[in-house]
PDB file of all heavy atoms in Angstrom:
ATOM      1  N   PRO H  39      37.928 -13.195 104.287  1.00 87.00           N
ATOM      2  CA  PRO H  39      38.728 -12.146 104.948  1.00 87.00           C
ATOM      3  C   PRO H  39      39.251 -11.100 103.963  1.00 87.00           C
ATOM      4  O   PRO H  39      39.820 -11.423 102.925  1.00 87.00           O
ATOM      5  CB  PRO H  39      39.863 -12.958 105.623  1.00 87.00           C
ATOM      6  CG  PRO H  39      39.251 -14.318 105.863  1.00 87.00           C
ATOM      7  CD  PRO H  39      38.326 -14.520 104.703  1.00 87.00           C
ATOM      8  N   GLY H  40      38.880  -9.878 104.226  1.00 86.00           N
ATOM      9  CA  GLY H  40      39.334  -8.732 103.374  1.00 86.00           C
ATOM     10  C   GLY H  40      38.661  -8.602 102.007  1.00 86.00           C
ATOM     11  O   GLY H  40      39.130  -7.962 101.114  1.00 86.00           O
ATOM     12  N   GLN H  41      37.625  -9.390 101.838  1.00 91.00           N
ATOM     13  CA  GLN H  41      37.023  -9.435 100.521  1.00 91.00           C
ATOM     14  C   GLN H  41      35.597  -8.860 100.512  1.00 91.00           C
ATOM     15  O   GLN H  41      35.140  -8.365 101.561  1.00 91.00           O
ATOM     16  CB  GLN H  41      36.827 -10.934  99.985  1.00 91.00           C
ATOM     17  CG  GLN H  41      38.234 -11.638  99.992  1.00 91.00           C
ATOM     18  CD  GLN H  41      39.147 -11.064  98.951  1.00 91.00           C
ATOM     19  OE1 GLN H  41      38.778 -10.766  97.787  1.00 91.00           O
ATOM     20  NE2 GLN H  41      40.411 -10.843  99.324  1.00 91.00           N
ATOM     21  N   SER H  42      35.039  -8.736  99.297  1.00 93.00           N
ATOM     22  CA  SER H  42      33.704  -8.196  99.257  1.00 93.00           C
ATOM     23  C   SER H  42      32.605  -9.412  99.592  1.00 93.00           C
ATOM     24  O   SER H  42      33.047 -10.459  99.953  1.00 93.00           O
ATOM     25  CB  SER H  42      33.481  -7.737  97.761  1.00 93.00           C
ATOM     26  OG  SER H  42      32.161  -7.119  97.750  1.00 93.00           O
ATOM     27  N   LEU H  43      31.402  -9.003  99.496  1.00 94.00           N
ATOM     28  CA  LEU H  43      30.296  -9.949  99.809  1.00 94.00           C
ATOM     29  C   LEU H  43      29.961 -10.799  98.576  1.00 94.00           C
ATOM     30  O   LEU H  43      29.738 -10.190  97.468  1.00 94.00           O
ATOM     31  CB  LEU H  43      29.078  -9.259 100.304  1.00 94.00           C
ATOM     32  CG  LEU H  43      29.061  -8.772 101.678  1.00 94.00           C
ATOM     33  CD1 LEU H  43      29.986  -7.547 101.963  1.00 94.00           C
ATOM     34  CD2 LEU H  43      27.598  -8.415 102.145  1.00 94.00           C
ATOM     35  N   THR H  44      29.862 -12.072  98.750  1.00 94.00           N
ATOM     36  CA  THR H  44      29.447 -13.002  97.608  1.00 94.00           C
ATOM     37  C   THR H  44      28.122 -13.559  97.933  1.00 94.00           C
ATOM     38  O   THR H  44      27.969 -14.185  99.127  1.00 94.00           O
ATOM     39  CB  THR H  44      30.522 -14.000  97.450  1.00 94.00           C
ATOM     40  OG1 THR H  44      31.745 -13.517  97.065  1.00 94.00           O
ATOM     41  CG2 THR H  44      30.063 -15.003  96.247  1.00 94.00           C
ATOM     42  N   LEU H  45      27.176 -13.452  97.169  1.00 94.00           N
ATOM     43  CA  LEU H  45      25.866 -13.996  97.412  1.00 94.00           C
ATOM     44  C   LEU H  45      25.837 -15.524  97.382  1.00 94.00           C
ATOM     45  O   LEU H  45      26.341 -16.126  96.364  1.00 94.00           O
ATOM     46  CB  LEU H  45      24.785 -13.498  96.422  1.00 94.00           C
ATOM     47  CG  LEU H  45      23.365 -13.921  96.594  1.00 94.00           C
ATOM     48  CD1 LEU H  45      22.810 -13.390  97.961  1.00 94.00           C
ATOM     49  CD2 LEU H  45      22.493 -13.426  95.410  1.00 94.00           C
ATOM     50  N   ILE H  46      25.372 -16.159  98.350  1.00 96.00           N
ATOM     51  CA  ILE H  46      25.251 -17.680  98.413  1.00 96.00           C
ATOM     52  C   ILE H  46      23.897 -18.083  97.805  1.00 96.00           C
ATOM     53  O   ILE H  46      23.825 -18.899  96.851  1.00 96.00           O
ATOM     54  CB  ILE H  46      25.384 -18.219  99.862  1.00 96.00           C
ATOM     55  CG1 ILE H  46      26.733 -17.830 100.466  1.00 96.00           C
ATOM     56  CG2 ILE H  46      25.030 -19.674  99.890  1.00 96.00           C
ATOM     57  CD1 ILE H  46      26.805 -18.227 101.942  1.00 96.00           C
ATOM     58  N   ALA H  47      22.857 -17.458  98.344  1.00 95.00           N
ATOM     59  CA  ALA H  47      21.485 -17.917  97.880  1.00 95.00           C
ATOM     60  C   ALA H  47      20.476 -16.974  98.228  1.00 95.00           C
ATOM     61  O   ALA H  47      20.690 -16.052  99.184  1.00 95.00           O
ATOM     62  CB  ALA H  47      21.177 -19.268  98.435  1.00 95.00           C
ATOM     63  N   THR H  48      19.322 -16.947  97.629  1.00 92.00           N
ATOM     64  CA  THR H  48      18.152 -16.164  98.002  1.00 92.00           C
ATOM     65  C   THR H  48      17.086 -17.196  98.437  1.00 92.00           C
ATOM     66  O   THR H  48      16.822 -18.129  97.866  1.00 92.00           O
ATOM     67  CB  THR H  48      17.632 -15.525  96.626  1.00 92.00           C
ATOM     68  OG1 THR H  48      18.715 -14.656  96.101  1.00 92.00           O
ATOM     69  CG2 THR H  48      16.446 -14.594  96.915  1.00 92.00           C
ATOM     70  N   ALA H  49      16.518 -16.674  99.601  1.00 90.00           N
ATOM     71  CA  ALA H  49      15.507 -17.557 100.237  1.00 90.00           C
ATOM     72  C   ALA H  49      14.139 -16.868 100.256  1.00 90.00           C
ATOM     73  O   ALA H  49      13.942 -15.802 100.943  1.00 90.00           O
ATOM     74  CB  ALA H  49      15.958 -17.952 101.693  1.00 90.00           C
ATOM     75  N   ASN H  50      13.163 -17.404  99.651  1.00 82.00           N
ATOM     76  CA  ASN H  50      11.753 -16.936  99.641  1.00 82.00           C
ATOM     77  C   ASN H  50      10.940 -17.885 100.484  1.00 82.00           C
ATOM     78  O   ASN H  50      11.121 -19.084 100.361  1.00 82.00           O
ATOM     79  CB  ASN H  50      11.208 -16.779  98.269  1.00 82.00           C
ATOM     80  CG  ASN H  50      11.909 -15.660  97.488  1.00 82.00           C
ATOM     81  OD1 ASN H  50      12.226 -14.674  98.078  1.00 82.00           O
ATOM     82  ND2 ASN H  50      12.030 -15.859  96.156  1.00 82.00           N
ATOM     83  N   GLN H  51      10.135 -17.329 101.221  1.00 80.00           N
ATOM     84  CA  GLN H  51       9.164 -18.162 102.050  1.00 80.00           C
ATOM     85  C   GLN H  51       8.288 -19.049 101.202  1.00 80.00           C
ATOM     86  O   GLN H  51       7.678 -18.543 100.269  1.00 80.00           O
ATOM     87  CB  GLN H  51       8.403 -17.309 103.013  1.00 80.00           C
ATOM     88  CG  GLN H  51       7.634 -18.089 104.084  1.00 80.00           C
ATOM     89  CD  GLN H  51       6.239 -18.457 103.682  1.00 80.00           C
ATOM     90  OE1 GLN H  51       5.550 -17.843 102.804  1.00 80.00           O
ATOM     91  NE2 GLN H  51       5.719 -19.540 104.350  1.00 80.00           N
ATOM     92  N   GLY H  52       8.231 -20.326 101.445  1.00 78.00           N
ATOM     93  CA  GLY H  52       7.318 -21.192 100.747  1.00 78.00           C
ATOM     94  C   GLY H  52       7.944 -21.825  99.456  1.00 78.00           C
ATOM     95  O   GLY H  52       7.242 -22.554  98.864  1.00 78.00           O
TER      96      GLY H  52
END
Side-chain angles (χ1 to χ4, degrees):
Chain H
Q41 304 296 313
S42 186
L43 282 72
T44 300
L45 182 65
I46 297 172
T48 302
N50 290 326
Q51 192 268 336

